[in-house]
Amino acid sequence: MINCRSGNADTSRQTVSIATVLLLLFFFQASPGFGQSPSSEKTQIEFVQKKYESVREGYIDLRWNAIEGATQYEVVENDGLVVFRGAFPQAMISGLANGEYSYQVKALNSEGELIAQSNQPALVTVEHWPLWQAIGLFSIGLIVFLAIIFVIIQGALATRESRSESVTDQKEIAE
């Protein structure tokens, strides 16, 4: 036998109502925006590193966060030139002369529509090694290379003399 009080039925209805309201609030809070479609909201792309100072080698490796639904990324230089197009959230850009560069990245879906773009550009300052330093290091490398070649030739000649002496010694012993 189950005893039911009339107060318990009212309490359970209030509990269900509160749970329903909380569930609806959670649903609307988790949605992209009340009255907005998910495609109207642009996701932002952030570069991992936003500033590259004193790049000496003339190339950089740009990386950014991946965007869900993106099938292609484009990296655009400050003059509007697309310098990279690919499927992964990173790009290596080479052949940079001395100067300052600014890069933006765009994410595109499978239809080629823009779904996200970076708000802050990646700023790059390229300053190659000075010519005197490059020539100096090249000269040191050339001297080391020639010294190694000299040692190899000396070793080969010494080995040849040693073999010819041992052959001569063996002929003398045999006679």
Side-chain angles (χ1 to χ4, degrees), residues 138-150:
F138 176 79
S139 300
I140 290 170
L142 180 63
I143 290 168
V144 169
F145 175 76
L146 292 175
I148 290 171
I149 296 298
F150 178 76

Side-chain angles (χ1 to χ4, degrees), residues 18-30:
I18 291 172
T20 305
V21 168
L22 289 175
L23 188 61
L24 286 172
L25 284 174
F26 175 76
F27 173 76
F28 284 118
Q29 187 176 15

Side-chain angles (χ1 to χ4, degrees), residues 44-47 50 60 62 64 73-85 91 93 101-107 114 116-124:
Q44 290 186 6
I45 299 176
E46 294 289 329
F47 286 103
K50 293 180 180 83
I60 56 168
L62 295 174
W64 55 87
Y73 296 97
E74 288 183 348
V75 176
V76 182
E77 205 170 61
N78 49 348
D79 61 359
L81 176 68
V82 176
V83 294
F84 171 80
R85 186 174 286 130
I93 301 170
Y101 300 87
S102 173
Y103 295 100
Q104 296 282 345
V105 65
K106 297 177 181 181
L114 179 68
Q117 63 184 9
S118 57
N119 284 341
Q120 284 189 311
L123 303 172
V124 180

Side-chain angles (χ1 to χ4, degrees), residues 56-71:
R56 296 286 200 173
E57 293 78 22
Y59 67 87
I60 56 168
D61 186 26
L62 295 174
R63 295 174 188 263
W64 55 87
N65 60 304
I67 301 297
E68 187 175 333
T71 58

Side-chain angles (χ1 to χ4, degrees), residues 31-49:
S31 68
F34 187 73
Q36 291 181 343
S37 67
S39 64
S40 68
E41 189 174 296
K42 298 275 188 237
T43 308
Q44 290 186 6
I45 299 176
E46 294 289 329
F47 286 103
V48 173
Q49 185 177 349

